[in-house]
Amino acid sequence: MASRQGGPGTRDSPRPGSTERRTASTTAPAGTRRPAASRSDSLPLGPDAEGPRADTPAPPDRPSVARTPEDPPIRDPGLYALTDHFRERLEQPGRYVSTRTVSDAIRRGQLRWNRTDGWRFALVESGIRFVVVVSDTETNSPVVVTGWTEVADRDAALDARRWDPVDVDTIAVRTALSESASTPIPDRIRPRAVTRPFIVGEHRLRTDAGDPYVWCSDCGCRFRSKAGITSRGCHGPSGR
């Protein structure tokens, strides 16, 4: 069964394009926030995104004191731009995030404060949790900073037509690597089978059921932790 890693953006999709900052700090004192940019400085809309719906009130001007880190973020995905960091994730195999899933999470997801920066929306669909981190202070416009997927209910995900077992194992392995970046996790890798490479750092990674490591399908290097993956470059084909 072919996986579907999201679909085309909707009319409320976040705007593609880079922001002035890769991330936006939401911990700076109010007096230190940059003045809001003029409308001419805002990011252009992409081919699959439009501005706010006709029935959506126009956003107020955003002076530096208009919003604080404690203010809940805006629920209109059409007002958000995408950071370069997040745009790179949209293009990577095994991420399973798209402008459509981002829009759905912003509109309908549970809202929580992100432990490092900004706010996060989380939406569970077909057993998979989509997490989207946003920020809307100290930037020209509200932005999607980053996003990822987690397995919320493995049985539900395996039963859903949206995913196949490789999709679910890919999400599980990627989550395990990120949660314990500096720690080897052979026991969390061993039960998984990932036959379609997913990208971390410079490596295209796979693993076979029973293997206590992931291995790069290009250079053949084996890894048991995310730190090991990101600290070593890929030097091309060398066989496994």
Side-chain angles (χ1 to χ4, degrees):
M1 182 187 304
S3 67
R4 294 182 294 173
Q5 299 188 32
T10 66
R11 69 194 302 266
D12 295 320
S13 295
R15 310 174 198 171
S18 64
T19 60
E20 192 169 343
R21 294 162 60 100
R22 289 180 64 85
T23 60
S25 172
T26 58
T27 58
T32 65
R33 297 189 189 96
R34 295 193 328 223
S38 66
R39 188 64 182 170
S40 61
D41 291 333
S42 61
L43 295 166
L45 295 175
D48 63 347
E50 299 178 6
R53 297 183 299 273
D55 59 349
T56 301
D61 291 336
R62 295 171 55 85
S64 60
V65 296
R67 295 185 62 80
T68 71
E70 291 75 25
D71 291 328
I74 299 167
R75 283 275 186 177
D76 185 347
L79 299 178
Y80 283 81
L82 307 179
T83 60
D84 288 340
H85 174 70
F86 186 71
R87 291 177 67 199
E88 293 170 0
R89 292 191 165 209
L90 288 174
E91 300 171 1
Q92 289 184 353
R95 289 287 184 185
Y96 304 98
V97 290
S98 69
T99 56
R100 184 178 67 184
T101 56
V102 169
S103 296
D104 289 345
I106 290 173
R107 281 195 298 264
R108 301 187 283 112
Q110 291 185 337
L111 180 61
R112 296 288 187 272
W113 177 252
N114 193 48
R115 62 179 176 270
T116 56
D117 190 24
W119 292 82
R120 66 168 62 182
F121 296 103
L123 179 67
V124 176
E125 291 185 338
S126 302
I128 300 299
R129 179 179 297 106
F130 297 89
V131 181
V132 176
V133 178
V134 303
S135 181
D136 63 355
T137 57
E138 287 197 341
T139 56
N140 291 341
S141 63
V143 294
V144 176
V145 177
T146 189
W148 62 87
T149 49
E150 303 168 348
V151 178
D153 185 327
R154 183 175 178 84
D155 290 338
L158 291 173
D159 288 342
R161 297 183 61 186
R162 184 171 183 174
W163 317 108
D164 66 20
V166 175
D167 295 326
V168 179
D169 278 349
T170 299
I171 293 170
V173 170
R174 186 188 288 279
T175 299
L177 289 169
S178 296
E179 288 178 349
S180 307
S182 61
T183 306
I185 53 167
D187 291 339
R188 298 184 67 181
I189 297 172
R190 201 186 309 270
R192 310 302 173 203
V194 179
T195 56
R196 293 189 297 268
F198 66 97
I199 295 174
V200 176
E202 298 180 8
H203 299 278
R204 299 173 65 249
L205 301 171
R206 300 173 56 178
T207 187
D208 297 321
D211 285 350
Y213 50 80
V214 294
W215 55 277
C216 177
S217 59
D218 290 334
C219 68
C221 291
R222 300 177 179 182
F223 306 99
R224 297 170 186 249
S225 71
K226 186 173 182 178
I229 299 167
T230 56
S231 64
R232 181 165 183 169
C234 182
H235 301 294
S238 62
R240 187 178 175 188

